Amino acid sequence: MEQLFWRLPSKNSIGKGVSLKERPKIGYTRRTEAACNSNRFFSKNLHAASNRGVNKSMNLLFAIDDRFSEQLKTTLYSIKRHTTAASFDVYVLQEKELSHAAELEAFCQKLAMTYHPIIIGSGSIFKTAPVSDRYPESIYYRLLAQNYLPQQVEKILYLDADILCINDLRPLYELTLGDFLYAAASHSKLTEVTTVINKVRLRNYESEGYYNSGVLLMNVHQLRQEVKETEIAAFIEKNHLNLFLPDQDILNGLYGDRVLAIPDQLYNYDVRKNRTYETISLGEWSLDWVIEHTVLLHFCGKEKPWKKGYRSRYGALYKYVENERRKFEEGRSSQSEKHQRL
C-alpha cells in the first residue's frame, strides 16, 4: 500500500511523517508500506544501539588501490577521533599488496587500530567487469567481501575512502540487521526521478530506492549464506553495457530489496547537495545541524577535496582534518590534541 508522507527532518522523527491532508502539498515523497516498515525498524534499532556499552570492537572494511592510501589514512583518523569503540579491526581489500602497506600498517598501529590486508589476486570474477580510471576493479571487491573475510567476522562496516567521520559511528555499527543483507542510504530524495529510471534499468522493481554503495553495514553471516559468486558473474555478463555506476548497479540490481534503509542526512551525506538538503528539510539540515548530527560526510563525484581547486562548503573541513592527520602522523601535536591535554 502506497502512502504519501511529509518529511519531518527533526532528529527524533526519523522514519515518521504526517498525512499530506495536514500539510500543504509540497515537498512530499512517496513511500510504500515496506519502506515505512524499514524506517520504523531502523528507528527502533538506532535507539537500542545508542544505549549499548562501548566496550566492543568495530570491524571496518575498505577496498582501495595505491591511489587512495593517503585518503584512507584521513578517513581512519577521522573515525578514531570521533567514534567510541574499544578497538578497531581494519580490513583492506586490494588486488595486490599496496606499495605503502608498511606505512599504512604503522599508521594504524599509531591509531591503536589493527591492519588486516586482504590480497584478492588476479583470479577474481571481476576481470570481465567494466573498469575505468574512476571505477577500478577494486570497487567490486565489497560485493564478495564475505568470501574473503575471516570466518569469525559476522558484521562489518564498509566505507569508501572519500568519507569523513564527524560524529560517533557506534550507533550505526550496532544496528541489528535481522534478515537484511545490508544497511545503506539512498540519495533518491535528492533527485527523485533517478529512482524510477534505475528500477527500470536494473529490472529490480521491489527495491525501495537506489542505494549508494559507499557506506554499507554488512550482515556478513547472512551474505555468506545467500550471495553467490555465480549470480554476480551472470548479472555482470547480462548487463555489461548497462552498468553506469558498476558496483552500485550490481548491488541494487540483485539485492536492492534486501537493504535496510538508513537516513543519508546522517550516514551518507552527499556534500555536493547541501542546498538540496536544506531545501527538502525546510532549512533544518543547515551547516550547524550537519556538524552536530551528521556522522558521515561523503565527497561523492569526480571532484575531490584533496585535489587542487576543489570548491565546496565542506572542502575546508576535509583539508583541516587532513592537515591534523598529517601532524599526528609526523608526531606533531595539533591544536585540538593540545587542548585535550589541558
Side-chain angles (χ1 to χ4, degrees):
M1 178 179 178
E2 190 178 72
Q3 301 172 351
L4 293 178
F5 277 71
W6 179 267
R7 297 190 185 280
L8 292 178
S10 64
K11 183 179 180 181
N12 297 321
S13 61
I14 298 171
K16 299 179 182 178
V18 295
S19 169
L20 282 179
K21 294 180 180 179
E22 301 171 49
R23 290 280 188 173
K25 293 185 178 180
I26 57 173
Y28 67 84
T29 181
R30 295 184 181 275
R31 290 181 178 169
T32 64
E33 186 174 1
C36 297
N37 289 337
S38 175
N39 278 310
R40 282 192 287 270
F41 183 90
F42 169 77
S43 298
K44 178 181 177 181
N45 283 281
L46 178 63
H47 177 73
S50 65
N51 291 323
R52 294 182 189 135
V54 300
N55 296 320
K56 291 186 177 181
S57 63
M58 183 176 292
N59 296 320
L60 300 174
L61 178 66
F62 301 88
I64 66 168
D65 57 24
D66 282 323
R67 295 176 298 173
F68 281 87
S69 294
E70 290 299 302
Q71 291 78 15
L72 175 55
K73 291 180 189 177
T74 300
T75 299
L76 290 173
Y77 178 79
S78 69
I79 291 171
K80 180 66 175 181
R81 290 297 300 269
H82 297 101
T83 297
T84 53
S87 61
F88 296 88
D89 285 284
V90 180
Y91 296 87
V92 181
L93 302 171
Q94 49 206 274
E95 180 183 3
K96 57 184 179 180
E97 186 178 28
L98 298 172
S99 299
H100 300 285
E103 182 181 309
L104 181 57
E105 182 175 12
F107 181 75
C108 285
Q109 289 177 348
K110 194 165 187 176
L111 287 174
M113 294 177 166
T114 305
Y115 173 65
H116 304 276
I118 299 178
I119 312 300
I120 305 301
S122 58
S124 80
I125 65 168
F126 303 117
K127 290 300 178 184
T128 59
V131 296
S132 65
D133 287 342
R134 186 179 176 191
Y135 300 116
E137 182 182 328
S138 59
I139 66 168
Y140 295 100
Y141 295 158
R142 75 198 77 178
L143 299 173
L144 287 175
Q146 62 276 1
N147 294 355
Y148 310 132
L149 290 165
Q151 200 62 34
Q152 70 268 21
V153 176
E154 295 194 343
K155 177 194 280 189
I156 200 164
L157 178 61
Y158 171 84
L159 297 173
D160 279 350
D162 57 355
I163 283 175
L164 272 189
C165 176
I166 61 173
N167 280 297
D168 199 344
L169 266 178
R170 184 172 54 87
L172 171 62
Y173 186 80
E174 293 186 354
L175 282 178
T176 300
L177 289 171
D179 291 332
F180 288 103
L181 297 177
Y182 304 97
S186 172
H187 292 148
S188 60
K189 65 175 175 289
L190 304 179
T191 52
E192 289 286 358
V193 66
T194 59
T195 298
V196 177
I197 294 173
N198 285 320
K199 284 186 179 183
V200 173
R201 181 170 63 86
L202 300 173
R203 300 181 182 88
N204 189 344
Y205 303 101
E206 300 300 318
S207 175
E208 297 303 331
Y210 182 79
Y211 296 99
N212 183 277
S213 60
V215 178
L216 294 173
L217 182 62
M218 305 174 67
N219 188 345
V220 180
H221 174 75
Q222 200 73 17
L223 287 165
R224 288 190 179 114
Q225 297 181 49
E226 297 190 36
V227 174
K228 307 301 180 186
E229 184 173 318
T230 53
E231 186 178 38
I232 293 176
F235 187 89
I236 293 173
E237 183 178 2
K238 182 178 180 180
N239 298 279
H240 190 275
L241 300 177
N242 201 31
L243 300 177
F244 301 151
L245 300 170
D247 62 303
Q248 203 160 273
D249 284 349
I250 297 169
L251 175 76
N252 284 276
L254 288 174
Y255 313 113
D257 57 341
R258 302 293 309 284
V259 177
L260 172 63
I262 57 177
D264 58 314
Q265 69 271 18
L266 292 177
Y267 295 114
N268 197 332
Y269 185 100
D270 186 341
V271 300
R272 301 169 300 177
K273 306 292 185 179
N274 58 280
R275 292 183 180 178
T276 307
Y277 280 113
E278 288 194 31
T279 300
I280 63 177
S281 68
L282 306 180
E284 179 78 12
W285 299 336
S286 63
L287 174 61
D288 289 342
W289 188 95
V290 169
I291 295 302
E292 183 177 355
H293 299 281
T294 296
V295 177
L296 296 172
L297 295 177
H298 195 175
F299 293 84
C300 306
K302 295 180 180 180
E303 303 302 319
K304 300 298 183 184
W306 55 86
K307 293 183 177 179
K308 190 174 182 179
Y310 180 82
R311 294 182 180 180
S312 167
R313 169 180 287 185
Y314 298 99
L317 177 59
Y318 185 93
K319 291 181 183 299
Y320 170 77
V321 175
E322 182 181 43
N323 188 53
E324 292 290 284
R325 185 267 296 175
R326 292 184 187 279
K327 289 180 181 178
F328 170 81
E329 190 173 12
E330 295 167 4
R332 294 183 288 143
S333 296
S334 67
Q335 291 300 316
S336 56
E337 289 169 337
K338 290 177 181 177
H339 179 74
Q340 288 178 349
R341 293 198 297 266
L342 293 178

